[in-house]
Amino acid sequence: MNELGPSAPAGARNLVIVVLDSLRYDSWVAAQPPNLASLGPVEQRWSYASWTAPSHYNLLMGLLPHHSPQGVYASEYYKDDFLKYSERLGIEGIEFRKMLPSLYIPTYLRNTLGYRTAAMVSMPVLNEHTCVNRDFDAYELMPTHNDMAAMLDKLEFSDERPSFYLLNVGETHYPYALPDEDPSEWPRISGVHGVFKRLDDEPGKGDAREFFDQDKMRELQDRQIRSVEYVDGVIGRLFDKLPSNTWVIVTSDHGELFGEERYFGHGPVMHEKVFEVPFVEGMVP
Ligand SMILES: [Zn+2]
């Protein structure tokens, strides 16, 4: 114990969780990102929630996207899944019950295991005044929603204390814009820019309900794929900055709909693609 709290166990690793907001599993696969691939094979997993806030809260409880296992009690799955934190952190004896009663990874890492805890988030819905910000030593809503590279200069690691970082990355979120792209060039979901068509524009269709133009939807997913290609370059620079004793997890908080069954985006959507997310983890390459 010192003035900062408990001393970390010897050999404790840094942990960095990168959440590529809204990234669909198949957009990651289409992008074939080489730096992310160097972390390990990407897995298809399932988010516990269909939008940003509950999904981040859940993963900060330690419950990362799941495998949807059949024939298992949820409580058993949670327990087994949690044991993996021993490997991730390089600390023996991590157990779910040791997180009681707060059930929050930042609390456990900081107050029990002696970590420095920090978050940089891109989505305003995760801003520092929300309940997601509990037991973080540093927590910042980034000035722009789509600039992961701006996070790199702010990363701090020390030999005294292991670090936990949550990085919520927005380039992969609608409008899938790279930081140097002029906002006037961003696509807009509105009739003016023609993402919507009206069904009664179609010959033989008398129904006036709007639906999504599939060509525009494909363009939007292509933009998300391009954003993964770009972010992968930033991830490569992130890997160069991380100390060698760092465990990295890269995943998404939820998927995105690109016109399937007349859905676009995420949130109030009940569709497989809003829960399907990529997941990869391992020691920093
Ligand atoms: Zn999100």
Side-chain angles (χ1 to χ4, degrees):
M1 199 76 162
N2 57 37
E3 72 280 1
L4 296 169
S7 300
R13 292 176 180 143
N14 304 302
L15 175 65
V16 177
I17 300 181
V18 180
V19 180
L20 303 177
D21 207 292
S22 312
L23 179 58
R24 259 168 77 136
Y25 171 74
D26 57 2
S27 295
W28 173 312
V29 170
Q32 298 186 294
N35 294 316
L36 286 163
S38 68
L39 201 53
V42 64
E43 295 176 39
Q44 175 200 39
R45 292 208 188 184
W46 306 96
S47 169
Y48 284 88
S50 70
W51 76 286
T52 309
S55 187
H56 279 77
Y57 184 80
N58 199 84
L59 74 83
L60 287 169
M61 290 182 74
L63 295 171
L64 294 162
H66 60 80
H67 296 97
S68 190
Q70 292 175 304
V72 196
Y73 290 113
S75 56
E76 290 301 308
Y77 180 83
Y78 297 151
K79 207 162 73 185
D80 284 353
D81 195 35
F82 207 75
L83 293 177
K84 292 188 190 128
Y85 278 94
S86 277
E87 184 190 355
R88 290 169 181 144
L89 301 173
I91 301 171
E92 292 295 318
I94 302 284
E95 291 176 58
F96 194 65
R97 65 181 177 83
K98 292 184 179 169
M99 289 244 294
L100 296 172
S102 67
L103 297 174
Y104 212 48
I105 285 278
T107 307
Y108 180 47
L109 291 181
R110 183 171 80 167
N111 299 351
T112 304
L113 296 177
Y115 277 65
R116 176 176 181 273
T117 54
M120 285 183 260
V121 301
S122 300
M123 293 295 122
V125 74
L126 299 176
N127 75 72
E128 65 274 23
H129 303 290
T130 64
C131 68
V132 173
N133 180 13
R134 196 180 79 196
D135 290 320
F136 280 99
D137 294 305
Y139 195 105
E140 183 182 358
L141 174 64
M142 298 300 286
T144 57
H145 86 277
N146 60 340
D147 194 2
M148 182 188 180
M151 298 176 181
L152 299 189
D153 294 335
K154 301 178 182 226
L155 292 168
E156 288 173 35
F157 294 92
S158 92
D159 296 333
E160 312 289 304
R161 248 178 127 189
S163 290
F164 165 64
Y165 270 102
L166 169 71
L167 305 178
N168 164 258
V169 172
E171 282 92 328
T172 47
H173 187 280
Y174 175 81
Y176 327 105
L178 306 190
D180 61 356
E181 190 175 358
D182 184 340
S184 69
E185 301 294 313
W186 293 356
R188 285 186 175 74
I189 298 290
S190 74
V192 179
H193 289 260
V195 172
F196 291 93
K197 281 204 284 191
R198 293 181 70 84
L199 210 53
D200 57 3
D201 292 340
E202 295 284 296
K205 305 269 175 72
D207 192 325
R209 283 176 299 171
E210 287 178 322
F211 76 109
F212 297 111
D213 177 330
Q214 277 308 313
D215 290 338
K216 293 285 182 192
M217 287 291 131
R218 264 190 297 276
E219 272 175 42
L220 289 173
Q221 186 165 14
D222 286 346
R223 286 177 61 87
Q224 188 177 59
I225 293 165
R226 191 189 60 158
S227 77
V228 178
E229 293 165 353
Y230 165 77
V231 163
D232 187 62
V234 184
I235 292 271
R237 288 159 54 199
L238 170 71
F239 289 168
D240 291 342
K241 291 197 80 122
L242 297 179
S244 58
N245 62 333
T246 302
W247 188 270
V248 184
I249 295 169
V250 186
T251 187
S252 179
D253 54 344
H254 49 76
E256 189 85 321
L257 271 290
F258 291 106
E260 294 89 350
E261 295 183 36
R262 301 158 64 107
Y263 289 116
F264 173 72
H266 55 267
V269 172
M270 184 58 230
H271 190 286
E272 188 176 290
K273 289 292 179 194
V274 84
F275 295 102
E276 184 187 41
V277 293
F279 180 91
V280 66
E281 66 177 332
M283 290 298 290
V284 62

